[in-house]
Amino acid sequence: METPVIPPARTGEHLLPGGRRLGWAEWGPPDGTPVLLCPGAATSRHLGFGAEAVAELGIRLISLDRPGLGVSSPAPGRTFAGFAEDIRRLAEGRSLGRPAMVGNSQGAPFALACAASGVVGALAVVAGADEVAAPHFAEALPPELRRLVELVRTDPDAAEKVFAGFTPQAMWDMVMANSPAVDLAVYQEARFAAAYRAALDEAFAQGAEGYARDTVLAMGRWDIDLSAIDVPVDVWYGAEDFGHSPDQGRSLTSRIPGAVRHVVPGTGGAVLWTRAHLILRALVRHVRGDGLTD
């Protein structure tokens, strides 16, 4: 297994127009190919991935705190489009051009919004939280998830208050209770568990409102024009992952022009960490066109 996590090499905050700040953390060479990471639910910029792959492939991996999480300033009522504009400003301010992006778990729809807005030059959706409120999933959802999706639809303010009651411990418990054994072997490894729990604690440092807003957006209907995406997109799911998407991204991939779906055997939702080299190699091939081969 690849080394799952190490501390970032550099951290900082980017000042956006209007005075809000976005927290970031970086791994790899400062002059490497920039790849943004839109992390999973309720985790902060400090939980990176693929340290060995980042070093070998010459990648500058930049993980981001979404608004209200970690050290990033809150943005009450924010939208997918607003997040994409934040990333546009970050890329311009830090001279990143049109970077590649990885959207993991709940970070996936935010990354897709960046692709639809033309902010990024290539995208990897990894164990992506799917649009569970889409009508074609109505009969496929477990009862509790169906109830929450319905609450988001009928009373998003009430749903946001429910999600604002979550804590780092509740998130940890939920992930541990709903992950297959192949993923628990990753998550419960001592170094990974320590890094994951620290990222949860940091993400909730300002309270749970940032996570709550993320979740209402992710569990509602997405106002993202997936058909407008005109950059390379790879969609990755572990074969043991049945929690992020009812059909393991099959319908999601079909809605994105030219997207390619990969189902990786021997792993589940932890595919970001267990197959980092495979994912990043494919991603930088899109943006660099440098003849990388498997």
Side-chain angles (χ1 to χ4, degrees):
M1 182 186 298
E2 300 179 52
T3 302
V5 286
I6 63 171
R10 299 168 294 278
T11 61
E13 300 171 26
H14 181 75
L15 185 64
L16 295 166
R20 286 191 298 114
R21 295 180 179 274
L22 279 183
W24 53 265
E26 292 189 356
W27 293 257
D31 60 349
T33 300
V35 174
L36 304 181
L37 171 61
C38 202
T43 54
S44 75
R45 58 185 172 157
H46 277 91
L47 189 64
F49 76 102
E52 295 173 2
V54 164
E56 178 183 330
L57 297 172
I59 290 171
R60 177 187 176 189
L61 181 67
I62 308 166
S63 181
L64 305 169
D65 284 338
R66 288 190 290 279
L69 279 72
V71 299
S72 288
S73 304
R78 61 191 169 87
T79 63
F80 288 126
F83 177 77
E85 183 59 24
D86 284 350
I87 301 309
R88 187 189 306 278
R89 297 291 190 176
L90 172 82
E92 291 173 351
R94 302 197 69 207
S95 301
L96 302 177
R98 290 180 72 201
M101 180 174 260
V102 175
N104 175 235
S105 188
Q106 196 175 80
F110 296 92
L112 286 163
C114 291
S117 298
V119 176
V120 298
L123 175 63
V125 172
V126 184
D130 210 332
E131 189 178 8
V132 290
H136 62 275
F137 284 145
E139 300 304 317
L141 304 181
E144 179 60 18
L145 178 55
R146 190 181 305 126
R147 184 187 70 79
L148 289 171
V149 169
E150 181 64 12
L151 182 62
V152 169
R153 184 185 71 82
T154 58
D155 194 344
D157 291 340
E160 199 158 335
K161 289 178 182 177
V162 170
F163 300 133
F166 273 61
T167 65
Q169 185 63 48
M171 291 299 302
W172 169 266
D173 291 343
M174 183 173 67
V175 172
M176 295 305 110
N178 292 284
S179 297
V182 69
D183 288 342
L184 292 177
V186 177
Y187 300 152
Q188 294 177 349
E189 189 275 326
R191 290 172 302 168
F192 188 94
Y196 186 21
R197 298 197 72 140
L200 289 170
D201 288 340
E202 185 180 41
F204 280 92
Q206 301 180 66
E209 287 77 12
Y211 162 73
R213 184 61 184 167
D214 274 3
T215 306
V216 165
L217 288 171
M219 291 182 65
R221 293 306 310 269
W222 298 350
D223 57 346
I224 303 168
D225 185 1
L226 298 180
S227 68
I229 295 176
D230 62 357
V231 299
V233 177
D234 287 290
V235 178
W236 300 85
Y237 285 91
E240 303 301 314
D241 180 7
F242 298 99
H244 287 102
S245 168
D247 64 0
Q248 295 187 313
R250 187 181 301 277
S251 58
L252 175 62
T253 305
S254 72
R255 297 165 63 193
I256 304 168
V260 178
R261 175 174 170 262
H262 312 264
V263 178
V264 184
T267 190
V271 64
L272 180 70
W273 295 279
T274 61
R275 300 295 190 274
H277 197 282
L278 182 67
I279 292 164
L280 287 172
R281 196 175 188 86
L283 187 61
V284 298
R285 185 186 295 117
H286 290 313
V287 295
R288 291 203 305 229
D290 55 5
L292 283 172
T293 57
D294 294 326

